[in-house]
Amino acid sequence: LPTAGDWVDIAFGNGMWILIASDSTTCLTSPDSINWTIRNTLPSAGIWDSVAYAANKFVAHRGTTPFIAISGG
């Protein structure tokens, strides 16, 4: 991976992998799970605990905060 992080969850959708870190605005994306791109697309640092792909969007969740749509590409 291109950067260290407290990686907590990974999801796949629409040909793209996404990996989120807890307590960060950073996530990683990859089309092949080998080559990763650093993205600062989470809206705020927080205790992110899950990510999923649904309705053509990646969504991340933390604690009691509703799911937040994030860009995967």
Side-chain angles (χ1 to χ4, degrees), residues 16-18 29-30 39 41 58 70-73:
M16 187 69 63
W17 289 95
I18 191 164
T29 59
S30 173
R39 311 266 183 203
T41 56
F58 285 101
I70 55 180
S71 171

Side-chain angles (χ1 to χ4, degrees), residues 2-64:
T3 186
D6 182 12
W7 306 109
V8 294
D9 202 15
I10 189 169
F12 181 80
N14 198 27
M16 187 69 63
W17 289 95
I18 191 164
L19 182 62
I20 62 167
S22 180
D23 201 22
S24 176
T25 60
T26 301
C27 64
L28 302 179
T29 59
S30 173
D32 58 14
S33 74
I34 297 170
N35 301 296
W36 294 89
T37 301
I38 299 169
R39 311 266 183 203
N40 291 316
T41 56
L42 295 172
S44 63
I47 307 302
W48 297 103
D49 54 38
S50 61
V51 64
Y53 184 80
N56 296 319
K57 293 179 181 158
F58 285 101
V59 289
H61 182 265
R62 66 174 181 201
T64 58

